[in-house]
Amino acid sequence: MARGGEYTVDELADATGMSVRNIRSYRSRGLLHPPRMRGRVGYYGAEHLTQLRLVQALLERGLSLAVIGRLVERGETQSELARLVRDELAGPPGSFPVSMSPQVVADLERSQPGIVDTMVALGLGRRRGTGYVGDPALFAMANALVAQGLPTAVVGQVCLASARAAGSVVALARADPGLRTVTSDPARAEALLVVVELATTAFRTALTTRLSDAGSPVSAPAP
């Protein structure tokens, strides 16, 4: 069990679903910062978890380790992930290949019992056995905010609020015959992606504008 947000290499492997061998390989490639040493034991923190989630997300989207290494050197992993998410709509619908850390699940449930089941109900992931799986890009961005000092519970609430906002579009898609056809016909999968991109772009634009108007120093993302 990780203590105070710190992980041994075995605990980090368990939290990310990676092998210890892979983690050590990523370290040797410069994709993961060295751990903090206490005696002969190395300890990893939230920033290391973020780095590994970013690697997972970028690998999932088809980038090679060599390309990811160059992005790490330039400090562009998060911006590249954001671009890929915008371009690829966070991967195929229902594609949830990465497990959430058991510690994160425990932290979320302590802050709000039942929150993980709510996330599943809102389409943010799936239950798998006793665990929870979701999109690596979502986890990478969430870990990045936690590494910057935001509580896990607050990050979870941002995800829930955003997922709930999708409910009004879903309701519209069910109520309008034309939109229902576009979003439910397998032969029109490309149209479904356009609807999702339209809604995503409108949400991102409105959220950026309204947070900026509220005094937050947020700039609009590059198109």
Side-chain angles (χ1 to χ4, degrees), residues 93-126:
S95 174
F96 300 120
V98 174
S99 297
M100 180 182 284
S101 161
Q103 182 184 9
V104 172
V105 173
D107 288 344
L108 287 170
E109 290 292 335
R110 269 196 303 272
S111 69
Q112 181 180 326
I115 187 173
V116 173
D117 285 335
T118 301
M119 293 172 75
V120 170
L122 291 173
L124 288 174
R126 297 275 191 274

PDB file of all heavy atoms in Angstrom, residues 93-126:
ATOM      1  N   PRO A  93     -15.279   4.784 -28.930  1.00  0.00           N
ATOM      2  CA  PRO A  93     -16.270   4.778 -27.855  1.00  0.00           C
ATOM      3  C   PRO A  93     -16.198   3.483 -27.054  1.00  0.00           C
ATOM      4  O   PRO A  93     -16.114   2.394 -27.611  1.00  0.00           O
ATOM      5  CB  PRO A  93     -17.607   4.887 -28.609  1.00  0.00           C
ATOM      6  CG  PRO A  93     -17.251   5.521 -29.912  1.00  0.00           C
ATOM      7  CD  PRO A  93     -15.882   5.017 -30.247  1.00  0.00           C
ATOM      8  N   GLY A  94     -16.215   3.620 -25.737  1.00  0.00           N
ATOM      9  CA  GLY A  94     -16.195   2.445 -24.876  1.00  0.00           C
ATOM     10  C   GLY A  94     -14.836   1.801 -24.727  1.00  0.00           C
ATOM     11  O   GLY A  94     -14.722   0.723 -24.156  1.00  0.00           O
ATOM     12  N   SER A  95     -13.781   2.441 -25.243  1.00  0.00           N
ATOM     13  CA  SER A  95     -12.439   1.881 -25.123  1.00  0.00           C
ATOM     14  C   SER A  95     -11.815   2.344 -23.811  1.00  0.00           C
ATOM     15  O   SER A  95     -11.449   3.500 -23.663  1.00  0.00           O
ATOM     16  CB  SER A  95     -11.571   2.335 -26.301  1.00  0.00           C
ATOM     17  OG  SER A  95     -10.241   1.918 -26.137  1.00  0.00           O
ATOM     18  N   PHE A  96     -11.715   1.438 -22.848  1.00  0.00           N
ATOM     19  CA  PHE A  96     -11.209   1.789 -21.520  1.00  0.00           C
ATOM     20  C   PHE A  96     -10.136   0.777 -21.126  1.00  0.00           C
ATOM     21  O   PHE A  96     -10.397  -0.181 -20.405  1.00  0.00           O
ATOM     22  CB  PHE A  96     -12.337   1.779 -20.497  1.00  0.00           C
ATOM     23  CG  PHE A  96     -13.449   2.743 -20.790  1.00  0.00           C
ATOM     24  CD1 PHE A  96     -14.734   2.299 -20.988  1.00  0.00           C
ATOM     25  CD2 PHE A  96     -13.199   4.100 -20.877  1.00  0.00           C
ATOM     26  CE1 PHE A  96     -15.768   3.185 -21.259  1.00  0.00           C
ATOM     27  CE2 PHE A  96     -14.217   5.000 -21.148  1.00  0.00           C
ATOM     28  CZ  PHE A  96     -15.509   4.535 -21.344  1.00  0.00           C
ATOM     29  N   PRO A  97      -8.896   0.975 -21.605  1.00  0.00           N
ATOM     30  CA  PRO A  97      -7.886  -0.066 -21.442  1.00  0.00           C
ATOM     31  C   PRO A  97      -7.025  -0.003 -20.189  1.00  0.00           C
ATOM     32  O   PRO A  97      -6.229  -0.907 -19.956  1.00  0.00           O
ATOM     33  CB  PRO A  97      -7.004   0.152 -22.681  1.00  0.00           C
ATOM     34  CG  PRO A  97      -7.070   1.630 -22.915  1.00  0.00           C
ATOM     35  CD  PRO A  97      -8.459   2.044 -22.509  1.00  0.00           C
ATOM     36  N   VAL A  98      -7.146   1.055 -19.377  1.00  0.00           N
ATOM     37  CA  VAL A  98      -6.196   1.251 -18.282  1.00  0.00           C
ATOM     38  C   VAL A  98      -6.916   1.219 -16.939  1.00  0.00           C
ATOM     39  O   VAL A  98      -7.991   1.804 -16.784  1.00  0.00           O
ATOM     40  CB  VAL A  98      -5.442   2.590 -18.453  1.00  0.00           C
ATOM     41  CG1 VAL A  98      -4.555   2.863 -17.252  1.00  0.00           C
ATOM     42  CG2 VAL A  98      -4.600   2.550 -19.723  1.00  0.00           C
ATOM     43  N   SER A  99      -6.310   0.554 -15.976  1.00  0.00           N
ATOM     44  CA  SER A  99      -6.899   0.448 -14.640  1.00  0.00           C
ATOM     45  C   SER A  99      -6.577   1.675 -13.798  1.00  0.00           C
ATOM     46  O   SER A  99      -5.469   2.208 -13.856  1.00  0.00           O
ATOM     47  CB  SER A  99      -6.365  -0.802 -13.922  1.00  0.00           C
ATOM     48  OG  SER A  99      -6.736  -1.970 -14.599  1.00  0.00           O
ATOM     49  N   MET A 100      -7.552   2.107 -13.011  1.00  0.00           N
ATOM     50  CA  MET A 100      -7.316   3.183 -12.052  1.00  0.00           C
ATOM     51  C   MET A 100      -6.589   2.615 -10.843  1.00  0.00           C
ATOM     52  O   MET A 100      -6.866   1.489 -10.407  1.00  0.00           O
ATOM     53  CB  MET A 100      -8.645   3.810 -11.613  1.00  0.00           C
ATOM     54  CG  MET A 100      -8.488   4.953 -10.610  1.00  0.00           C
ATOM     55  SD  MET A 100     -10.073   5.644 -10.051  1.00  0.00           S
ATOM     56  CE  MET A 100     -10.540   6.613 -11.482  1.00  0.00           C
ATOM     57  N   SER A 101      -5.670   3.388 -10.308  1.00  0.00           N
ATOM     58  CA  SER A 101      -4.935   2.978  -9.121  1.00  0.00           C
ATOM     59  C   SER A 101      -5.904   2.662  -7.979  1.00  0.00           C
ATOM     60  O   SER A 101      -6.816   3.447  -7.699  1.00  0.00           O
ATOM     61  CB  SER A 101      -3.985   4.097  -8.687  1.00  0.00           C
ATOM     62  OG  SER A 101      -3.586   3.937  -7.352  1.00  0.00           O
ATOM     63  N   PRO A 102      -5.728   1.523  -7.284  1.00  0.00           N
ATOM     64  CA  PRO A 102      -6.575   1.218  -6.128  1.00  0.00           C
ATOM     65  C   PRO A 102      -6.547   2.317  -5.073  1.00  0.00           C
ATOM     66  O   PRO A 102      -7.548   2.571  -4.406  1.00  0.00           O
ATOM     67  CB  PRO A 102      -5.983  -0.092  -5.590  1.00  0.00           C
ATOM     68  CG  PRO A 102      -5.334  -0.717  -6.779  1.00  0.00           C
ATOM     69  CD  PRO A 102      -4.789   0.437  -7.592  1.00  0.00           C
ATOM     70  N   GLN A 103      -5.403   2.985  -4.916  1.00  0.00           N
ATOM     71  CA  GLN A 103      -5.315   4.071  -3.945  1.00  0.00           C
ATOM     72  C   GLN A 103      -6.207   5.239  -4.350  1.00  0.00           C
ATOM     73  O   GLN A 103      -6.875   5.850  -3.517  1.00  0.00           O
ATOM     74  CB  GLN A 103      -3.879   4.562  -3.799  1.00  0.00           C
ATOM     75  CG  GLN A 103      -3.735   5.675  -2.754  1.00  0.00           C
ATOM     76  CD  GLN A 103      -2.328   6.227  -2.673  1.00  0.00           C
ATOM     77  OE1 GLN A 103      -1.487   5.911  -3.493  1.00  0.00           O
ATOM     78  NE2 GLN A 103      -2.075   7.064  -1.687  1.00  0.00           N
ATOM     79  N   VAL A 104      -6.239   5.545  -5.663  1.00  0.00           N
ATOM     80  CA  VAL A 104      -7.091   6.626  -6.145  1.00  0.00           C
ATOM     81  C   VAL A 104      -8.557   6.272  -5.942  1.00  0.00           C
ATOM     82  O   VAL A 104      -9.363   7.108  -5.524  1.00  0.00           O
ATOM     83  CB  VAL A 104      -6.797   6.926  -7.628  1.00  0.00           C
ATOM     84  CG1 VAL A 104      -7.807   7.922  -8.193  1.00  0.00           C
ATOM     85  CG2 VAL A 104      -5.380   7.471  -7.782  1.00  0.00           C
ATOM     86  N   VAL A 105      -8.914   5.015  -6.243  1.00  0.00           N
ATOM     87  CA  VAL A 105     -10.293   4.571  -6.005  1.00  0.00           C
ATOM     88  C   VAL A 105     -10.654   4.753  -4.535  1.00  0.00           C
ATOM     89  O   VAL A 105     -11.725   5.270  -4.201  1.00  0.00           O
ATOM     90  CB  VAL A 105     -10.472   3.102  -6.425  1.00  0.00           C
ATOM     91  CG1 VAL A 105     -11.849   2.590  -6.020  1.00  0.00           C
ATOM     92  CG2 VAL A 105     -10.294   2.955  -7.933  1.00  0.00           C
ATOM     93  N   ALA A 106      -9.748   4.352  -3.643  1.00  0.00           N
ATOM     94  CA  ALA A 106     -10.004   4.482  -2.203  1.00  0.00           C
ATOM     95  C   ALA A 106     -10.141   5.947  -1.801  1.00  0.00           C
ATOM     96  O   ALA A 106     -11.028   6.307  -1.013  1.00  0.00           O
ATOM     97  CB  ALA A 106      -8.882   3.810  -1.413  1.00  0.00           C
ATOM     98  N   ASP A 107      -9.272   6.823  -2.351  1.00  0.00           N
ATOM     99  CA  ASP A 107      -9.346   8.250  -2.036  1.00  0.00           C
ATOM    100  C   ASP A 107     -10.678   8.849  -2.495  1.00  0.00           C
ATOM    101  O   ASP A 107     -11.303   9.637  -1.778  1.00  0.00           O
ATOM    102  CB  ASP A 107      -8.193   9.008  -2.704  1.00  0.00           C
ATOM    103  CG  ASP A 107      -6.846   8.725  -2.059  1.00  0.00           C
ATOM    104  OD1 ASP A 107      -6.840   8.189  -0.936  1.00  0.00           O
ATOM    105  OD2 ASP A 107      -5.819   9.029  -2.685  1.00  0.00           O
ATOM    106  N   LEU A 108     -11.103   8.469  -3.690  1.00  0.00           N
ATOM    107  CA  LEU A 108     -12.370   8.985  -4.208  1.00  0.00           C
ATOM    108  C   LEU A 108     -13.539   8.512  -3.371  1.00  0.00           C
ATOM    109  O   LEU A 108     -14.451   9.286  -3.045  1.00  0.00           O
ATOM    110  CB  LEU A 108     -12.556   8.535  -5.669  1.00  0.00           C
ATOM    111  CG  LEU A 108     -11.678   9.222  -6.719  1.00  0.00           C
ATOM    112  CD1 LEU A 108     -11.792   8.497  -8.053  1.00  0.00           C
ATOM    113  CD2 LEU A 108     -12.066  10.686  -6.879  1.00  0.00           C
ATOM    114  N   GLU A 109     -13.538   7.237  -3.017  1.00  0.00           N
ATOM    115  CA  GLU A 109     -14.652   6.690  -2.236  1.00  0.00           C
ATOM    116  C   GLU A 109     -14.702   7.277  -0.828  1.00  0.00           C
ATOM    117  O   GLU A 109     -15.782   7.432  -0.255  1.00  0.00           O
ATOM    118  CB  GLU A 109     -14.552   5.163  -2.172  1.00  0.00           C
ATOM    119  CG  GLU A 109     -14.843   4.470  -3.498  1.00  0.00           C
ATOM    120  CD  GLU A 109     -16.304   4.589  -3.920  1.00  0.00           C
ATOM    121  OE1 GLU A 109     -17.169   4.769  -3.045  1.00  0.00           O
ATOM    122  OE2 GLU A 109     -16.580   4.512  -5.132  1.00  0.00           O
ATOM    123  N   ARG A 110     -13.529   7.605  -0.278  1.00  0.00           N
ATOM    124  CA  ARG A 110     -13.527   8.259   1.039  1.00  0.00           C
ATOM    125  C   ARG A 110     -14.149   9.647   0.951  1.00  0.00           C
ATOM    126  O   ARG A 110     -14.857  10.080   1.850  1.00  0.00           O
ATOM    127  CB  ARG A 110     -12.095   8.371   1.578  1.00  0.00           C
ATOM    128  CG  ARG A 110     -11.651   7.202   2.431  1.00  0.00           C
ATOM    129  CD  ARG A 110     -10.408   7.536   3.242  1.00  0.00           C
ATOM    130  NE  ARG A 110      -9.293   7.966   2.397  1.00  0.00           N
ATOM    131  CZ  ARG A 110      -8.416   7.140   1.849  1.00  0.00           C
ATOM    132  NH1 ARG A 110      -8.540   5.834   2.047  1.00  0.00           N
ATOM    133  NH2 ARG A 110      -7.431   7.594   1.105  1.00  0.00           N
ATOM    134  N   SER A 111     -13.876  10.351  -0.141  1.00  0.00           N
ATOM    135  CA  SER A 111     -14.397  11.714  -0.283  1.00  0.00           C
ATOM    136  C   SER A 111     -15.888  11.718  -0.568  1.00  0.00           C
ATOM    137  O   SER A 111     -16.613  12.612  -0.135  1.00  0.00           O
ATOM    138  CB  SER A 111     -13.660  12.448  -1.415  1.00  0.00           C
ATOM    139  OG  SER A 111     -13.993  11.900  -2.682  1.00  0.00           O
ATOM    140  N   GLN A 112     -16.349  10.710  -1.294  1.00  0.00           N
ATOM    141  CA  GLN A 112     -17.768  10.633  -1.642  1.00  0.00           C
ATOM    142  C   GLN A 112     -18.122   9.178  -1.919  1.00  0.00           C
ATOM    143  O   GLN A 112     -17.903   8.683  -3.028  1.00  0.00           O
ATOM    144  CB  GLN A 112     -18.080  11.496  -2.876  1.00  0.00           C
ATOM    145  CG  GLN A 112     -19.555  11.483  -3.268  1.00  0.00           C
ATOM    146  CD  GLN A 112     -19.813  12.354  -4.484  1.00  0.00           C
ATOM    147  OE1 GLN A 112     -19.165  13.380  -4.676  1.00  0.00           O
ATOM    148  NE2 GLN A 112     -20.771  11.949  -5.304  1.00  0.00           N
ATOM    149  N   PRO A 113     -18.654   8.482  -0.944  1.00  0.00           N
ATOM    150  CA  PRO A 113     -19.005   7.068  -1.151  1.00  0.00           C
ATOM    151  C   PRO A 113     -19.909   6.885  -2.374  1.00  0.00           C
ATOM    152  O   PRO A 113     -20.859   7.627  -2.572  1.00  0.00           O
ATOM    153  CB  PRO A 113     -19.736   6.702   0.148  1.00  0.00           C
ATOM    154  CG  PRO A 113     -19.169   7.643   1.171  1.00  0.00           C
ATOM    155  CD  PRO A 113     -18.941   8.931   0.432  1.00  0.00           C
ATOM    156  N   GLY A 114     -19.563   5.924  -3.196  1.00  0.00           N
ATOM    157  CA  GLY A 114     -20.352   5.650  -4.387  1.00  0.00           C
ATOM    158  C   GLY A 114     -19.935   6.429  -5.617  1.00  0.00           C
ATOM    159  O   GLY A 114     -20.524   6.264  -6.686  1.00  0.00           O
ATOM    160  N   ILE A 115     -18.900   7.272  -5.502  1.00  0.00           N
ATOM    161  CA  ILE A 115     -18.529   8.140  -6.618  1.00  0.00           C
ATOM    162  C   ILE A 115     -18.048   7.334  -7.827  1.00  0.00           C
ATOM    163  O   ILE A 115     -18.313   7.703  -8.978  1.00  0.00           O
ATOM    164  CB  ILE A 115     -17.449   9.169  -6.188  1.00  0.00           C
ATOM    165  CG1 ILE A 115     -17.199  10.177  -7.331  1.00  0.00           C
ATOM    166  CG2 ILE A 115     -16.157   8.489  -5.782  1.00  0.00           C
ATOM    167  CD1 ILE A 115     -16.280  11.320  -6.931  1.00  0.00           C
ATOM    168  N   VAL A 116     -17.363   6.216  -7.595  1.00  0.00           N
ATOM    169  CA  VAL A 116     -16.860   5.431  -8.725  1.00  0.00           C
ATOM    170  C   VAL A 116     -18.025   4.823  -9.507  1.00  0.00           C
ATOM    171  O   VAL A 116     -18.023   4.815 -10.738  1.00  0.00           O
ATOM    172  CB  VAL A 116     -15.884   4.342  -8.242  1.00  0.00           C
ATOM    173  CG1 VAL A 116     -15.491   3.417  -9.392  1.00  0.00           C
ATOM    174  CG2 VAL A 116     -14.626   4.987  -7.653  1.00  0.00           C
ATOM    175  N   ASP A 117     -19.055   4.334  -8.791  1.00  0.00           N
ATOM    176  CA  ASP A 117     -20.226   3.818  -9.493  1.00  0.00           C
ATOM    177  C   ASP A 117     -20.922   4.929 -10.274  1.00  0.00           C
ATOM    178  O   ASP A 117     -21.458   4.695 -11.369  1.00  0.00           O
ATOM    179  CB  ASP A 117     -21.206   3.197  -8.495  1.00  0.00           C
ATOM    180  CG  ASP A 117     -20.733   1.837  -8.000  1.00  0.00           C
ATOM    181  OD1 ASP A 117     -19.961   1.180  -8.721  1.00  0.00           O
ATOM    182  OD2 ASP A 117     -21.121   1.443  -6.882  1.00  0.00           O
ATOM    183  N   THR A 118     -20.918   6.144  -9.733  1.00  0.00           N
ATOM    184  CA  THR A 118     -21.501   7.284 -10.457  1.00  0.00           C
ATOM    185  C   THR A 118     -20.712   7.571 -11.726  1.00  0.00           C
ATOM    186  O   THR A 118     -21.282   7.849 -12.780  1.00  0.00           O
ATOM    187  CB  THR A 118     -21.522   8.537  -9.561  1.00  0.00           C
ATOM    188  OG1 THR A 118     -22.288   8.255  -8.385  1.00  0.00           O
ATOM    189  CG2 THR A 118     -22.158   9.715 -10.289  1.00  0.00           C
ATOM    190  N   MET A 119     -19.390   7.480 -11.634  1.00  0.00           N
ATOM    191  CA  MET A 119     -18.544   7.695 -12.811  1.00  0.00           C
ATOM    192  C   MET A 119     -18.849   6.654 -13.886  1.00  0.00           C
ATOM    193  O   MET A 119     -18.916   6.969 -15.078  1.00  0.00           O
ATOM    194  CB  MET A 119     -17.068   7.648 -12.407  1.00  0.00           C
ATOM    195  CG  MET A 119     -16.649   8.802 -11.506  1.00  0.00           C
ATOM    196  SD  MET A 119     -14.977   8.628 -10.833  1.00  0.00           S
ATOM    197  CE  MET A 119     -14.002   9.017 -12.286  1.00  0.00           C
ATOM    198  N   VAL A 120     -19.051   5.402 -13.467  1.00  0.00           N
ATOM    199  CA  VAL A 120     -19.398   4.347 -14.417  1.00  0.00           C
ATOM    200  C   VAL A 120     -20.750   4.639 -15.060  1.00  0.00           C
ATOM    201  O   VAL A 120     -20.921   4.527 -16.283  1.00  0.00           O
ATOM    202  CB  VAL A 120     -19.416   2.972 -13.717  1.00  0.00           C
ATOM    203  CG1 VAL A 120     -20.003   1.905 -14.636  1.00  0.00           C
ATOM    204  CG2 VAL A 120     -18.005   2.577 -13.276  1.00  0.00           C
ATOM    205  N   ALA A 121     -21.717   5.037 -14.236  1.00  0.00           N
ATOM    206  CA  ALA A 121     -23.059   5.320 -14.753  1.00  0.00           C
ATOM    207  C   ALA A 121     -23.055   6.466 -15.755  1.00  0.00           C
ATOM    208  O   ALA A 121     -23.860   6.483 -16.694  1.00  0.00           O
ATOM    209  CB  ALA A 121     -24.005   5.634 -13.591  1.00  0.00           C
ATOM    210  N   LEU A 122     -22.133   7.416 -15.580  1.00  0.00           N
ATOM    211  CA  LEU A 122     -22.059   8.569 -16.470  1.00  0.00           C
ATOM    212  C   LEU A 122     -21.173   8.325 -17.695  1.00  0.00           C
ATOM    213  O   LEU A 122     -20.985   9.220 -18.517  1.00  0.00           O
ATOM    214  CB  LEU A 122     -21.543   9.793 -15.699  1.00  0.00           C
ATOM    215  CG  LEU A 122     -22.515  10.357 -14.653  1.00  0.00           C
ATOM    216  CD1 LEU A 122     -21.833  11.450 -13.828  1.00  0.00           C
ATOM    217  CD2 LEU A 122     -23.768  10.909 -15.315  1.00  0.00           C
ATOM    218  N   GLY A 123     -20.628   7.110 -17.811  1.00  0.00           N
ATOM    219  CA  GLY A 123     -19.860   6.769 -19.000  1.00  0.00           C
ATOM    220  C   GLY A 123     -18.381   7.073 -18.937  1.00  0.00           C
ATOM    221  O   GLY A 123     -17.696   7.053 -19.964  1.00  0.00           O
ATOM    222  N   LEU A 124     -17.863   7.342 -17.749  1.00  0.00           N
ATOM    223  CA  LEU A 124     -16.446   7.689 -17.623  1.00  0.00           C
ATOM    224  C   LEU A 124     -15.540   6.467 -17.521  1.00  0.00           C
ATOM    225  O   LEU A 124     -14.312   6.622 -17.494  1.00  0.00           O
ATOM    226  CB  LEU A 124     -16.235   8.588 -16.398  1.00  0.00           C
ATOM    227  CG  LEU A 124     -16.748  10.018 -16.536  1.00  0.00           C
ATOM    228  CD1 LEU A 124     -16.604  10.762 -15.213  1.00  0.00           C
ATOM    229  CD2 LEU A 124     -16.006  10.766 -17.641  1.00  0.00           C
ATOM    230  N   GLY A 125     -16.112   5.292 -17.447  1.00  0.00           N
ATOM    231  CA  GLY A 125     -15.293   4.093 -17.340  1.00  0.00           C
ATOM    232  C   GLY A 125     -16.165   2.866 -17.173  1.00  0.00           C
ATOM    233  O   GLY A 125     -17.383   2.912 -17.372  1.00  0.00           O
ATOM    234  N   ARG A 126     -15.528   1.773 -16.803  1.00  0.00           N
ATOM    235  CA  ARG A 126     -16.203   0.493 -16.617  1.00  0.00           C
ATOM    236  C   ARG A 126     -15.663  -0.182 -15.367  1.00  0.00           C
ATOM    237  O   ARG A 126     -14.513   0.005 -14.993  1.00  0.00           O
ATOM    238  CB  ARG A 126     -15.962  -0.436 -17.807  1.00  0.00           C
ATOM    239  CG  ARG A 126     -16.499   0.037 -19.134  1.00  0.00           C
ATOM    240  CD  ARG A 126     -17.958  -0.335 -19.317  1.00  0.00           C
ATOM    241  NE  ARG A 126     -18.372  -0.093 -20.691  1.00  0.00           N
ATOM    242  CZ  ARG A 126     -18.812   1.080 -21.163  1.00  0.00           C
ATOM    243  NH1 ARG A 126     -18.856   2.130 -20.357  1.00  0.00           N
ATOM    244  NH2 ARG A 126     -19.179   1.219 -22.425  1.00  0.00           N
TER     245      ARG A 126
END
